[in-house]
Amino acid sequence: ADLEVTQVDGTRLTIGSNTSWVAEQGWLLHNDIYLGVKHDEARKQALVGWAEVAFNDAAWAPAVPAPNASRVGALMPQEVEPIERMQQLVGTQMWCGDSVRVIDFGTNFAGVPVFEVFGPIPATTTIVVRSGEIL
């Protein structure tokens, strides 16, 4: 497979794959417009610097062709306008249960939640963030 890159100046660069390529599962485990994102923070920390030339990928496995790749067809770029932050919202109300927090932002919106977790928590802790239009 080849990766064709059109550079800013219009020149094209072709990068061919071969048996020297390696692969590793990233920290993003699931991404869905309705069901949200699931990622592994420990994996994210282990992969810090993976895009740098000096990164040690010796523990990564050899890349293998995807099964039935010939039936998938050509990959096409998805040309969409970039998504930009328009404003930052703060919750207007919060309800607390034993292990649940519900935050109402007072309006319907499309966005990405940003939050911080304070204090020591076990590495195996799962944090679930669900967005919904109706509370």
Side-chain angles (χ1 to χ4, degrees), residues 49-69:
W50 71 269
E52 303 298 324
V53 173
F55 183 78
N56 183 359
D57 61 7
W60 290 21
V64 295
N68 302 319

Side-chain angles (χ1 to χ4, degrees), residues 21-110:
W21 285 35
V22 293
E24 179 62 51
Q25 180 175 338
W27 61 273
L28 186 60
L29 306 177
H30 177 84
N31 187 2
D32 183 271
I33 189 170
Y34 298 109
L35 301 176
V37 175
K38 180 177 181 182
H39 78 267
D40 184 331
E41 188 65 23
R43 289 195 64 71
K44 185 177 181 180
Q45 295 305 316
L47 295 172
V48 167
W50 71 269
E52 303 298 324
V53 173
F55 183 78
N56 183 359
D57 61 7
W60 290 21
V64 295
N68 302 319
S70 62
R71 290 194 280 160
V72 173
L75 294 176
M76 301 301 294
Q78 182 178 5
E79 298 181 18
V80 296
E81 294 295 319
I83 297 172
E84 298 177 0
R85 177 167 49 171
M86 304 304 286
Q87 71 183 97
Q88 185 169 336
L89 300 176
V90 177
T92 57
Q93 290 184 327
M94 181 167 63
W95 296 270
C96 301
D98 290 337
S99 62
V100 175
R101 304 285 187 267
V102 176
I103 302 170
D104 184 356
F105 289 91
T107 186
N108 190 2
F109 68 94

